[in-house]
Amino acid sequence: MDWDRYFLEIATAVANNSKCLSRKIGALLVRDKSIISTGYNGPPRGVPHCNRRYVIDPSVSAIMPTHMMGKEMDLCPRKALGYKSGEGLHLCIASHAEVNCINNAARNGICTLGSTLYLSSAFLPCKNCLCEIINAGIKEIVVREIQPYDPTSLFILEHSDLSIRTYKLG
């Protein structure tokens, strides 16, 4: 059995649950070939997704172009305002898939120590997620390819015991 393929395909399926209008990412925590937690990027439980946010959040609708005000949109507010990937994060209400996966484990009383994190993303986790991953005791990350999200992530990786592996689905 090709376990890496199996778990990465499940992480990709988990990503389909994401309501994020920018990027859909799925994460899976595995220990002893068993899934212990899943997560995808999105707002906290019970918080409206961005397409509703256009309508109900005056702080967002006030900065949107006039033709977008008060309408449900299928466009990330950051992208609608012209921000590039990684910019305008002060407008983003979502948690990343990695953090949601760790939080789901914690919510259910599941220990993450020594587990492996599978990500449907081609990017390495951002610096905030890497800090959470390391502090949660996760030993390894498996991604499709190693593309750094930011230079700080690389610094953190170089100075940690976290292992990164790649696996190409194809």
Side-chain angles (χ1 to χ4, degrees):
M1 173 105 192
D2 187 343
W3 290 104
D4 285 340
R5 172 177 287 284
Y6 175 72
F7 291 130
L8 281 170
E9 286 176 351
I10 293 172
T12 300
V14 168
N16 289 327
N17 264 344
S18 172
K19 307 302 184 274
C20 182
L21 301 173
S22 176
R23 184 179 290 146
K24 295 182 182 298
I25 310 264
L28 205 67
L29 272 175
V30 173
R31 188 175 40 245
D32 299 325
K33 297 181 183 160
S34 293
I35 298 167
I36 61 172
S37 186
T38 65
Y40 51 87
N41 55 327
R45 295 170 191 265
V47 174
H49 298 287
C50 287
N51 60 345
R52 283 288 301 142
R53 191 169 175 214
Y54 281 102
V55 178
I56 62 176
D57 185 350
S59 70
V60 168
S61 58
I63 60 175
M64 286 294 144
T66 308
H67 70 283
M68 293 181 170
M69 291 176 62
K71 298 178 186 172
E72 279 197 27
M73 305 288 289
D74 285 330
L75 181 64
C76 170
R78 295 180 306 119
K79 287 188 176 181
L81 291 167
Y83 287 106
K84 294 177 185 168
S85 180
E87 295 178 350
L89 293 175
H90 63 284
L91 294 171
C92 185
I93 58 173
S95 289
H96 287 180
E98 304 93 322
V99 170
N100 283 334
C101 191
I102 292 166
N103 288 341
N104 285 335
R107 182 182 174 112
N108 291 305
I110 298 170
C111 178
T112 58
L113 190 64
S115 61
T116 297
L117 181 72
Y118 286 84
L119 284 176
S120 68
S121 172
F123 289 96
L124 289 175
C126 70
K127 75 147 191 98
N128 292 336
C129 287
L130 277 173
C131 291
E132 300 298 328
I133 289 165
I134 292 165
N135 287 337
I138 295 165
K139 67 175 182 178
E140 178 181 49
I141 300 174
V142 180
V143 292
R144 293 185 316 224
E145 57 186 273
I146 297 178
Q147 287 186 24
Y149 191 79
D150 59 48
T152 306
S153 295
L154 292 176
F155 176 84
I156 292 169
L157 280 172
E158 289 171 10
H159 293 87
S160 75
D161 292 330
L162 189 62
S163 170
I164 304 288
R165 281 192 302 116
T166 59
Y167 185 93
K168 297 246 187 228
L169 287 176

